[in-house]
Amino acid sequence: MDPLDMESTPLTASIDRRRAMQWMFAAVAASTALGQAPAGATISQHTPVPKGYGTDPDLTKLYKPGDLWPLSLSETQRTSAALICDIIFPADEVSPSASSLHIHDFIDEWISAPYAPQMADRQPVLDCIAWFESEAESRFKAPLSKLTDDQRNAICDDVAFGAKSKAFQIPARNFGRFKFLAAGGFYTTPEGMKDIGYVGNTPTINFDGPTPEALKHVGLA
Amino acid sequence: MPIISVSQLAPSYDVIVVGSGAGGGQSAYTLTMNGAKVLMLEAGRNYDPVTETPMFQTNATAPLRGTSTSDKPFGFHDSTIDGGWNVPGEPYTNASDDPKEQFTWWRPRMLGGRTNHWGRISLRNGPYDFKPYSRDGLGFDWPISYEDVAPYYDKVEMLVGVYGSNEGLENTPDSPEGILLPPPKARVGELLAKKHAAGMGIPVIPIHRAVLSVRQDAENIPAKLHPGNTKAQAILAASMRARAACFWATPCGRGCSIKANYQSTTVHLPPALATGNLDILPNAMAREVVFDANGKATGVSFIDKVSGKEVTAKGRVVILAASSAESARILLNSISTRFPKGVANSSGLVGKYIMDTVGAGLGGHIPLLENLPVHNEEGAGGHVYIPWWLYKDQLAGKLGFARGYHIEFGSGRNMPGMGAGAGTPGYGKKYKDEVRRNFGAGMGFSGRGEMIPNEESFCELDPEVKDKWGIPVLRFHWKWSEHETRQAAHMQKTFAEIIEAMGGKPGKPKPNGADAIHQGGNIIHEVGGTIMGAQSNKSVCNQWNQTWDCPNLFVNDGGAFASNADKNPTLTIMALAWRASDFILEEMRKGNL
């Protein structure tokens, strides 16, 4: 199955058309503001012009997904994204699941952002979501949400270690982008930082250097 | 008399300083502490690191997890404001379409300029570095020697606070006893590299960094820096007491609200403002230096970005410290019938011999660092480095390139950002275990090497393109010579050998030096363009950063560098700016300016 085929990924196709319309209206709104209204166009005054945070944002403010530009995953896509996040990052004895940390919202923030590199990740991520759902349907006749962990993992096995065969090349690549975002999102949270053993960002009077245990570990003690 | 608007400009000043970074900040400091009335013009906005620095913000609370964007090219929390490789409305051009022959120009638009986000690495040029032509017949000698600059290195290190150690190595100067602050301990990865590099004859020593590892000696330093000047001593003592020691958290590139590292906005400008002798006018984009009929500089014409109007400020002396390329641009744009090629350009050398630092990098995975017991390794960047160690082989012609490099390297369990966990295959619990095992096991090595000035690397005015205020912009020409590309290849080879000696697996080096070397300008060590020399027909400035053609016009940024040693330029910019400012004060006292 070719995931770039629009017929096989209705989820992707519909959302992208909707988003494309949103952006087109925004562009038209922008041009109208400059006094160049295209003939016959009806413009919604409430459509935000997608733009970044600019070159002088408030650096001390705490931001969350959706603060700066609208998120754009549909509810269905969002649910699927959360499930894929949890396939990659299930809860274990060290840290909670990715979805409980809203990593899917971060992915939504990323692919909804008005910057070229993030925009380039949009389609691969949407295709990844659509691929998991269509694989769930074709292999187990159920949506991803109804599958057991083993069933979900069976799908993931085909793309998480490189492409198993040529047919999996593009899904594997798309999964790679999804995982890049999920991992960056996860390990930057307080829970993810703790999981990985990062204990910095704490003021200390002196820099004490390595612990005796750490030195011993590398044979320097 | 702190931050002013155009309507508050005084009729005239003793000195106008264009730019507020290392060169401008140091110039304003030295001049105002000694009573000169100074106007500082800054093209960007006012900026207060005390209230604007994101000190403990994590990537999770930044847009896109803090990742770089076209708006914030060094990441969201980097201190740079309104700047980067591109500044909206302020283009520059390159003569070549080939990226390898292009110069990339980093500019911020904020008070303090690049000193707000710089790496704080503060290495002195050594004796060889001021006389490179005498040593190997390439490039140019400076008209000054290490001995001329050494007292100013001492002063700058005492003023800004630099940690490090004296190792007595070749062309790697020691500071007089008692000047350097104690260096922080090395991290595990740094110690491991030290152990294995030693077997290769490569020294790993504490780096010098403009960070207060302990608080400054506010009791004694002010009298050493300003003998007989009790007002300056009191102001400096208060300024030093307002600075805290580093608390070993949050990256220096964000700036520092507790003033534990050097940035012009926390170290130079507060005491300069406290003298009452400094006016700072932000949002003032310098266009040109203006002159009287005798060719004497009378002031600076600038665009007031607030009103969009062109305004002229008047002064007895003009110091350009706008960044080397921007200062060259101002000189080239100062065109009159008297100066048809731009001012200070009778030699035709304004904009010529621009230099950056040679940069190449390689990373690797070090299995010994896997599963390291959890501990905090953060604080103040790298704690050690490798100074150039092959002076003798190089002089004997054994290396195939003429100048050296130092190595900065990083290891450690640093705050995760985008990319964390991405390189580990798989998913699920096993994958999470793998990522835990590998955290902090990567090491990155970066070479920072000397570029020899050449005829094909220069900037000039673009004949057509202007910025949004109608000021002609710079067009760059760039070419590395084989001295640089071979050096870059040597860097990658060395990094791979060190990583392998540590039992690690290096990344794949580029096939050749021309591919390994970073693009011109990438290292943001932009110097040259108004080089100093002993003869007026072969240089733009004399040994006092004073332009040969116009005695009351100075270039106190990196523009006056006659060579660009591997040592990071900021400390030398400050030392020379202090020295030039002392000269200006003396000449004003004598009535020569």
Side-chain angles (χ1 to χ4, degrees):
Chain A
M1 186 197 71
D2 179 0
L4 295 180
D5 176 355
M6 298 284 265
E7 287 305 307
S8 66
T9 57
L11 207 59
T12 308
S14 69
I15 190 66
D16 254 5
R17 270 197 295 275
R18 196 188 63 175
R19 190 166 168 80
M21 293 293 276
Q22 221 178 43
W23 280 62
M24 191 193 76
F25 279 128
V28 171
S31 68
T32 311
L34 296 171
Q36 298 165 340
T42 310
I43 309 302
S44 160
Q45 295 300 311
H46 303 290
T47 310
V49 179
K51 58 175 181 146
Y53 46 67
T55 55
D56 188 10
D58 183 346
L59 302 186
T60 61
K61 197 176 151 186
L62 307 184
Y63 297 84
K64 60 181 192 306
D67 280 358
L68 291 165
W69 45 81
L71 304 182
S72 63
L73 288 179
S74 68
E75 267 316 300
T76 342
Q77 287 171 319
R78 200 171 165 274
T79 305
S80 305
L83 290 167
I84 302 169
C85 280
D86 285 353
I87 299 173
I88 304 169
F89 289 101
D92 60 15
E93 61 283 1
V94 181
S95 58
S97 69
S99 69
S100 71
L101 301 173
H102 302 279
I103 303 307
H104 48 294
D105 288 336
F106 159 65
I107 294 175
D108 197 355
E109 177 202 8
W110 184 279
I111 63 165
S112 309
Y115 295 103
Q118 283 70 34
M119 287 161 77
D121 279 334
R122 179 173 180 78
Q123 200 58 47
V125 165
L126 296 183
D127 287 346
C128 178
I129 294 170
W131 183 81
F132 267 88
E133 285 296 354
S134 73
E135 289 298 302
E137 200 58 51
S138 64
R139 296 188 199 191
F140 305 108
K141 311 294 172 218
L144 200 58
S145 59
K146 303 288 183 204
L147 303 192
T148 64
D149 285 349
D150 285 348
Q151 288 171 324
R152 287 175 193 156
N153 293 349
I155 297 174
C156 199
D157 278 336
D158 292 341
V159 289
F161 301 91
K164 263 197 166 173
S165 65
K166 207 175 169 202
F168 289 105
Q169 265 177 8
I170 290 170
R173 199 163 66 211
N174 292 339
F175 176 76
R177 279 323 283 172
F178 190 102
K179 186 176 126 182
F180 171 84
L181 298 178
F186 181 82
Y187 288 116
T188 48
T189 61
E191 293 83 355
M193 292 195 289
K194 192 175 167 209
D195 174 313
I196 211 171
Y198 168 76
V199 291
N201 208 32
T202 306
T204 53
I205 302 290
N206 297 306
F207 181 80
D208 292 330
T211 58
E213 299 76 41
L215 289 173
K216 198 174 164 207
H217 184 84
V218 298
L220 288 171
Chain B
M1 307 178 42
I3 309 295
I4 62 164
S5 60
V6 165
S7 63
Q8 296 166 292
L9 275 174
S12 185
Y13 292 87
D14 292 325
V15 184
I16 299 175
V17 177
V18 180
S20 61
Q26 183 63 60
S27 302
Y29 173 89
T30 302
L31 293 165
T32 57
M33 289 294 245
N34 288 286
K37 301 284 183 190
V38 174
L39 169 67
M40 174 177 276
L41 299 176
E42 164 52 48
R45 74 159 170 87
N46 184 25
Y47 167 66
D48 178 12
V50 173
T51 57
E52 298 192 59
T53 307
M55 290 300 279
F56 289 97
Q57 278 78 344
T58 63
N59 288 319
T61 62
L64 304 172
R65 277 353 195 215
T67 207
S68 298
T69 65
S70 52
D71 284 332
K72 294 283 293 182
F74 277 10
F76 187 78
H77 285 138
D78 174 64
S79 66
T80 303
I81 291 169
D82 293 332
W85 302 114
N86 294 295
V87 177
E90 300 184 37
Y92 58 92
T93 64
N94 271 286
S96 173
D97 293 331
D98 179 355
K100 288 181 177 167
E101 296 186 5
Q102 291 182 343
F103 182 80
T104 55
W105 193 17
W106 182 279
R107 295 165 293 170
R109 288 290 178 252
M110 64 193 300
L111 192 66
R114 296 184 293 209
T115 69
N116 294 303
H117 91 148
W118 73 306
R120 272 85 182 173
I121 294 173
S122 304
L123 306 173
R124 294 181 177 209
N125 278 8
Y128 304 165
D129 300 322
F130 289 101
K131 303 293 175 189
Y133 175 79
S134 296
R135 188 169 157 81
D136 60 22
L138 297 166
F140 310 108
D141 282 348
W142 298 54
I144 46 178
S145 64
Y146 175 72
E147 287 67 33
D148 294 313
V149 188
Y152 289 95
Y153 280 136
D154 297 351
K155 290 186 192 202
V156 171
E157 287 172 353
M158 281 191 273
L159 173 67
V160 308
V162 175
Y163 73 62
S165 66
N166 291 327
E167 303 288 329
L169 296 177
E170 186 175 14
N171 200 40
T172 305
D174 290 345
S175 302
E177 279 309 310
I179 287 189
L180 295 175
L181 305 172
K185 287 179 182 162
R187 302 180 175 89
V188 175
E190 293 172 333
L191 290 170
L192 200 60
K194 180 176 175 149
K195 176 182 165 185
H196 292 283
M200 302 165 65
I202 299 176
V204 173
I205 61 173
I207 202 163
H208 292 211
R209 200 180 277 274
V211 174
L212 304 186
S213 53
V214 296
R215 296 188 77 182
Q216 289 174 294
D217 180 0
E219 299 300 318
N220 296 304
I221 293 175
K224 288 180 188 164
L225 294 182
H226 302 287
N229 184 344
T230 50
K231 182 184 171 188
Q233 289 172 22
I235 288 170
L236 178 57
S239 175
M240 286 182 161
R241 290 192 185 102
R243 299 181 65 192
C246 181
F247 52 44
W248 313 105
T250 87
C252 292
R254 298 177 174 197
C256 191
S257 72
I258 62 166
K259 306 184 179 188
N261 61 34
Y262 164 75
Q263 51 199 114
S264 175
T265 36
T266 54
V267 178
H268 279 139
L269 300 182
L273 286 167
T275 64
N277 295 326
L278 178 63
D279 279 353
I280 298 175
L281 181 62
N283 300 307
M285 178 73 194
R287 173 195 281 270
E288 62 184 300
V289 182
V290 291
F291 296 88
D292 65 13
N294 301 316
K296 193 180 172 201
T298 55
V300 176
S301 152
F302 63 90
I303 308 293
D304 170 28
K305 288 179 173 176
V306 179
S307 67
K309 288 185 181 145
E310 191 163 341
V311 181
T312 298
K314 292 200 162 71
R316 277 164 72 190
V317 174
V318 172
I319 294 174
L320 300 182
S323 87
S324 64
E326 193 72 52
S327 291
R329 180 187 178 201
I330 293 167
L331 295 176
L332 291 169
N333 272 318
S334 303
I335 294 168
S336 60
T337 45
R338 192 184 181 95
F339 303 120
K341 295 186 297 179
V343 72
N345 199 17
S346 64
S347 62
L349 292 178
V350 171
K352 301 297 194 294
Y353 305 120
I354 58 172
M355 294 161 268
D356 187 29
T357 290
V358 177
L362 193 70
H365 179 81
I366 316 292
L368 263 179
L369 294 174
E370 290 173 10
N371 273 333
L372 201 63
V374 170
H375 65 289
N376 184 2
E377 293 203 292
E378 254 189 352
H383 295 176
V384 299
Y385 83 118
I386 294 170
W388 180 234
W389 69 102
L390 293 172
Y391 285 106
K392 291 187 175 61
D393 284 355
Q394 190 158 52
L395 196 61
K398 290 180 184 170
L399 300 184
F401 56 97
R403 302 285 169 77
Y405 61 88
H406 72 259
I407 304 172
E408 300 168 12
F409 60 99
S411 69
R413 305 170 69 84
N414 300 311
M415 186 187 282
M418 287 308 291
T424 304
Y427 69 95
K429 289 183 181 183
K430 261 192 192 166
Y431 161 74
K432 288 174 78 175
D433 276 341
E434 279 292 285
V435 177
R436 272 169 216 140
R437 184 160 70 86
N438 288 322
F439 177 56
M443 280 186 76
F445 290 78
S446 298
R448 294 290 179 262
E450 176 162 359
M451 172 191 180
I452 300 168
N454 68 58
E455 304 291 331
E456 293 174 273
S457 298
F458 63 96
C459 60
E460 60 187 350
L461 292 183
D462 188 294
E464 287 167 15
V465 182
K466 294 180 170 62
D467 69 14
K468 65 178 169 186
W469 299 285
I471 308 173
V473 308
L474 286 179
R475 178 169 67 183
F476 289 96
H477 301 251
W478 190 262
K479 206 158 193 181
W480 297 111
S481 78
E482 286 197 335
H483 287 293
E484 288 87 38
T485 54
R486 286 175 181 170
Q487 189 194 70
H490 191 273
M491 288 176 181
Q492 289 213 313
K493 185 171 159 283
T494 304
F495 304 158
E497 287 169 3
I498 296 174
I499 292 166
E500 281 165 359
M502 295 168 73
K505 190 174 180 305
K508 198 168 176 243
K510 298 285 183 189
N512 57 62
D515 288 329
I517 199 166
H518 286 298
Q519 224 181 346
N522 265 203
I523 309 301
I524 324 184
H525 289 171
E526 157 207 339
V527 300
T530 52
I531 66 167
M532 66 162 65
Q535 292 168 273
S536 63
N537 61 339
K538 290 185 176 170
S539 54
V540 176
C541 296
N542 66 17
Q543 64 151 314
W544 305 106
N545 297 55
Q546 181 181 34
T547 62
W548 287 108
D549 297 354
C550 185
N552 68 335
L553 176 59
F554 292 74
V555 183
N556 281 8
D557 53 33
F561 280 38
S563 73
N564 190 17
D566 70 277
K567 285 83 169 182
N568 311 46
T570 306
L571 188 76
T572 301
I573 290 174
M574 292 194 271
L576 294 179
W578 195 323
R579 186 171 178 272
S581 299
D582 273 358
F583 174 79
I584 291 168
L585 288 161
E586 190 56 30
E587 290 293 288
M588 288 200 295
R589 268 184 221 117
K590 288 181 186 164
N592 294 338
L593 285 175

